[in-house]
Amino acid sequence: MYTQGLDQAGTDEQIAVETDELLSAFQERIDAEEKIEPKDWMPEAYRRTLIRQISQHAHSEIIGMQPEGNWLTRAPSLKRKVILLAKVQDEAGHGLYLYSAAETLGVSRAQMVADLLSGKAKYSSIFNYPTLTWADIGTIGWLVDGAAIMNQIPLCRCSYGPYARAMVRVCKEESFHQRQGFDIMHTLCRGSDEQKAMAQGALNRWWWPSLMMFGPNDSESKHSAQSMAWKIKRFSNDELRQKFVDATVQQADFLGLRVPDDELRFDEDSGHYRFGEIDWQELFDVIAGNGPCNKQRLEKRRQAHSNGAWVREAAQAYASKQASRAAA
Amino acid sequence: MSKQEWPLYEVFVRSKAGLSHRHAGSVHAPDDQMALDHARDAYTRRSEGVSLWVVRSDSIVASDPAETSAFFEPAKDKIYRHPTFYEIPDGVKNL
Amino acid sequence: MSANQALIAYTLRLADNALILAQRMVELVAAEPELEEELANANFALDFIGQARMFYTYAGELEGQGRSEDDFAFMRDEREFGNLLLLEQPNGHFGDALVRQFLFEAFYLHLLEALMRCSDQRLCEIAARAIKEVKYHFRHSSHWLVRLGDGTELSHNRAQTSLDDAWRYTGEMFTADEIDTAMQENFDGPDLASIHELWRRDIATVVVEATLQLPDDQWMASGGKQGRHSEHLGFLLAEMQYLQRSFPGATW
């Protein structure tokens, strides 16, 4: 993803007029399922939309390390500890792939990180909920990664090449994430009464926030139509949410767990599960910064960043000393 | 300089002997040696590779998309370079 | 103590070293100075936990009482842990954690090398697998020590202090007790005196390149191998063992 260095020279040109001809030629390429690559001409709004979406996605991976990381030191067996550590490490890796993809659009990782730390940039609301028991780790893998996969698989065909390629790698690596979560739940549900209660409690807390992960209803979603036209997005929020519910309710039945929704029922005619109304106010509150863990998550990132400053600077200082020694 | 971020490196991985190195992604690193370490830890976690190349992103010279047609289209009409251009008479073998 | 008992105790010490260091590294997840370093730290911790599991499993087989890797990791008290004091020390800042890693890995590399030549087949095999991982770790921690030492004035001073502070915990690596001696006599195990020389040589090379000073030999702490730990280990274990202790006999 090498065009970042080259892009910096071209900032003046980017303000060039977006004529109808250019715009329609661009849309034709998209409609023909051609991939857009970093140095290709693209509308400024397309670039900005991608930067926003990819960096949010990257931030979500990075912040997402925390709720699960919360149980790394307390994982109940050595096997569970290595599995969870490998998963949390993958999240760091996926953050890295995604930041790299965004960097091809001419924004630096330092800038994206600064926007995250200042609170300007958003990340997935789900990671602002606390992980209170070991069953929460199972539930995150099962539900949150399950929901993420629904979102991410279509992104492998996104019109922007570097994003699509990053997502192919991410999806390949994440294929074990949901399974390990389900495996934790399955083990708990076959365990003692206390373990079953732990599993049910976690499902009760994570079910609705998981449904919120797909975003507002289509009628309320402000970026959807344009993103669909640009093939950054392939399915609507509501379509993906429905797909998720259909898949997950059966899995909950298998586990012997009850989905915490009194209105949930199977609709024979459509072949889909109908579910109750989401508490949208809760989603908007969490997005606005008022979730249970928003402050804590960002504070931990800020601390890591500022505590690491002297280390990053030391490495740079050494590199420049080495460079001048080589030149001498 | 302390506020600058570590430079960007492109990472190329040879998945097994006999295959070329292929672009895998990028990492930030303060210098070449660390770039190799970072590439190893980021891109070969699932034994994806047997050899790694890293190169500073700003050292790569790339063709300009504005010149795509001048660069690549002239090759398109030289169909006589491809074996399918030629008709082979029935009965002729090993050609 | 029979030869077999010494072998079990020795194998458990190897396991405890790997696990306790890994547990400290796991505490650093999501707190590293840069994203790339998150990946490195997790890789190394995964390696160490993997080694701990192999050693524990082998110790359980030798003992023959049906204890599993998790029984050893989660159901023993601190007096039963035989890890080095160095490894249980709190993380401190990046330089402290790095120096801890660096000093141990330089020792561990030579220890594993010697174990590859011991007369116990299984330990040879485990050591042969582990050494590949630890070689890379040591490369990486050496790279970092050089960058901190020869980086900024601040990083140089911090790295020197980290080195000085950790030094007191290096002595017990090389002080042979009856288990080390039994291992050497009965199984052709490592000779700690010669490893001490190799260790000194290796770390001196890196420390000099890092423009740092090797600390003078001073008073050395000891007792970790024999289960007399610093106050830190109890808290580490309380956190790590909490679920297994709260729900005895449960399957996870």
Side-chain angles (χ1 to χ4, degrees), chain A residues 17 20 39 66 76 141 186 208 234 239 249 299-300 306 327:
Chain A
V17 192
D20 288 348
K39 289 265 295 163
Q66 290 184 42
H186 193 200
W208 290 105
R234 297 267 177 175
E239 283 173 316
V249 171
E299 191 48 38
K300 170 134 185 161
S306 66

Side-chain angles (χ1 to χ4, degrees), chain C residues 28 30 45 50 67 78 81 134 146 184 216 225 229 234 241:
Chain C
L28 291 170
R67 282 208 277 181
E78 53 186 295
F81 272 76
V134 178
V146 169
Q184 195 182 352
D216 295 329
K225 293 203 275 194
H229 291 277
Q241 298 178 335

Side-chain angles (χ1 to χ4, degrees), chain A residues 110 312-313 316, chain B residues 1-7 28 56, chain C residues 34:
Chain A
R312 295 189 299 273
E313 284 163 22
Q316 279 178 314
Chain B
M1 95 139 221
S2 63
K3 296 291 164 213
Q4 269 177 18
E5 65 182 336
W6 290 345
H28 285 274
R56 281 276 294 251
Chain C
E34 191 52 280

